[in-house]
Amino acid sequence: TLRQNKNECRVKFNKILLEGEYSAEQLIKALEIDVRKKIESSLKTRQNKLSYMQNSLTYLNQRSYEPYIELISSHKEQEEPSYNGGIDI
């Protein structure tokens, strides 16, 4: 049931890309993080959390990927070094 409405899902995915706020790579990475977190939670609680996955169209319509994209962005900012002054050569 996760792969229902493939054509509608494809249209919604392309619409999100055309908005220009997110890239396909970000959306895919967000889904990977979501699945990984559900797997980790399943192992900790010994209950299958993957059974609570939304189907693809609902995932896109409800913009469930946004918190994970924000998480990705915050990690990139932390990894990038910040320079407070000039560089002497």
Side-chain angles (χ1 to χ4, degrees), residues 13 16-17 22-36 53 59-60 65-66 68-69 72:
F13 186 82
I16 292 169
L17 294 179
Y22 304 115
S23 68
E25 292 81 20
Q26 287 175 310
L27 294 171
I28 293 167
K29 185 69 174 172
L31 180 59
E32 290 172 351
I33 291 170
D34 187 11
V35 170
R36 188 174 340 117
M53 290 290 296
Y59 187 82
L60 294 172
Y65 51 85
E66 286 182 333
Y68 299 106
I69 291 177
I72 294 167

Side-chain angles (χ1 to χ4, degrees), residues 72-85:
I72 294 167
S73 298
S74 68
H75 280 288
K76 284 185 179 180
E77 289 174 7
Q78 292 174 0
E79 292 175 4
E80 294 176 5
S82 60
Y83 298 104
N84 294 332

Side-chain angles (χ1 to χ4, degrees), residues 3-18 27 56-58 60-61:
R3 297 181 186 181
Q4 293 177 343
N5 307 317
K6 287 185 181 184
N7 289 331
E8 291 176 45
C9 188
R10 188 174 294 119
V11 169
K12 182 64 178 180
F13 186 82
N14 289 330
K15 185 177 178 181
I16 292 169
L17 294 179
L18 287 174
L27 294 171
S56 301
L57 186 58
T58 302
L60 294 172
N61 280 332

